[in-house]
DNA sequence: TTAATATATGAACAACTTTTCACATGTTAA
DNA sequence: TTAACATGTGAAAAGTTGTTCATATATTAA
C-alpha cells in the first residue's frame, strides 16, 4: 500500500509539461467565452463566412474577425478563402466532441 | 437545395438558450486556466486534499482554496470533508472525458 | 478552555480580455 | 483605373480575473 507521499510524488512525476498545460488551458480558455461558444455552435452546423456569423450573433464584422483569429490560433477552426469571403469551419471532429462533452455536462440534471 | 439565408435561419433557431451558452462557456472558462488545469490533472489521478494540492503545485493554500471554489461552483469537482481536511475529486467521468478530449487535441501532430 | 491545524473568504491590486473605433489590406466589378 | 465590398488588425477603454494578504471559521489536541 502506497503512502500519501508516494502518491503525491507519482502525480508530480506524471504531471504534463508546462508547454502542454499552457496549450491545453488556452484551448479551454478560448472555448470559454460566450461569443466564441456561440461561434463554435454555429460552425458545428455549417461552414460560415464572417458576414454570416456576424449576422447570426448580431455583432460587428470586426468583433467576429478578432474572435475567429483567437479560434484559429489554437487550431479550433480552419479557414477557406473564396474570393473576398473567408469561410470558417471546425478544424476536426475532436472539437465537436469536446463541445458535445461540455454540453452534456451542462445539460446534466 | 436550401438557400444561404435558410441555413442561417435554421442555425439561429437551433441556437441554445443564453443560459445554456453561459454555463457552457463558464465551464470551459474554468478549465481554461493553467492552475486549474493542473488541479484537474492531479485530481484525475487521485482524490487529494488542499494541502496536498498546494504542495503539488507549489502554491499557497489560499490560492488553491479559491480555485477549488471556482471548480466546485461549476460542478467540476466534489468535496468530502474528513475531520479538518477537505478532499477533492473530479465530479464525474464527464469531466475526465472532457479533459482527455482536450488533451488529445493539444497533443495532436 | 486554549493552542494548533486545515481550510475558507473578502478586499485589493496587477494582469489580462473583449469590444469598439479607425483604418489597412485584398478582391471584385465597372 | 476607381469604387465598392469583405475581412483583418492595432490601440485603447471598460470590464474581468488570479493571486496575495489578512483574517475568519471549524476541527482536533492538550
Amino acid at each position: 500500500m502506497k503512502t500519501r507521499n508516494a502518491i503525491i510524488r507519482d502525480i508530480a512525476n506524471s504531471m504534463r509539461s508546462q508547454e502542454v498545460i499552457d496549450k491545453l488551458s488556452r484551448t479551454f480558455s478560448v472555448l470559454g467565452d460566450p461569443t466564441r461558444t456561440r461561434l463554435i455552435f454555429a460552425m458545428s452546423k455549417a461552414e460560415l463566412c464572417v458576414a454570416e456569423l456576424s449576422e447570426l450573433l448580431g455583432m460587428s464584422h470586426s468583433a467576429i474577425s478578432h474572435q475567429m483569429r483567437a479560434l484559429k490560433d489554437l487550431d479550433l477552426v480552419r479557414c477557406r478563402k473564396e474570393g473576398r469571403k473567408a469561410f470558417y469551419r471546425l478544424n476536426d471532429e475532436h472539437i465537436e466532441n469536446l463541445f458535445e462533452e461540455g454540453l452534456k455536462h451542462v445539460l446534466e440534471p
Side-chain angles (χ1 to χ4, degrees), chain A:
Chain A
M1 199 249 193
K2 283 194 179 176
T3 65
R4 225 42 214 164
N5 272 338
I7 290 171
I8 308 289
R9 213 171 334 106
D10 286 356
I11 296 176
N13 287 333
S14 63
M15 183 64 69
R16 297 282 176 175
S17 71
Q18 191 62 50
E19 189 188 19
V20 168
I21 293 285
D22 280 353
K23 182 157 185 204
L24 183 52
S25 71
R26 293 206 46 209
T27 298
F28 282 124
S29 182
V30 154
L31 291 166
D33 166 83
T35 296
R36 289 187 298 255
T37 301
R38 292 200 291 159
L39 289 171
I40 296 283
F41 178 87
M43 285 181 291
S44 76
K45 303 287 179 181
E47 186 193 54
L48 295 161
C49 72
V50 173
E52 291 167 334
L53 290 165
S54 168
E55 189 195 334
L56 252 167
L57 271 69
M59 293 178 67
S60 72
H61 294 185
S62 175
I64 299 298
S65 191
H66 274 295
Q67 300 295 17
M68 296 319 286
R69 184 142 105 114
L71 291 171
K72 201 153 148 283
D73 281 352
L74 281 141
D75 301 316
L76 296 182
V77 302
R78 269 191 281 180
C79 183
R80 177 177 68 82
K81 297 262 171 129
E82 190 182 305
R84 49 192 161 190
K85 293 190 178 175
F87 286 95
Y88 288 93
R89 64 177 151 142
L90 300 188
N91 191 37
D92 58 38
E93 279 162 31
H94 264 160
I95 311 305
E96 207 148 354
N97 292 344
L98 201 53
F99 188 77
E100 279 301 321
E101 204 64 40
L103 206 47
K104 273 189 217 159
H105 171 70
V106 166
L107 297 176
E108 215 155 56

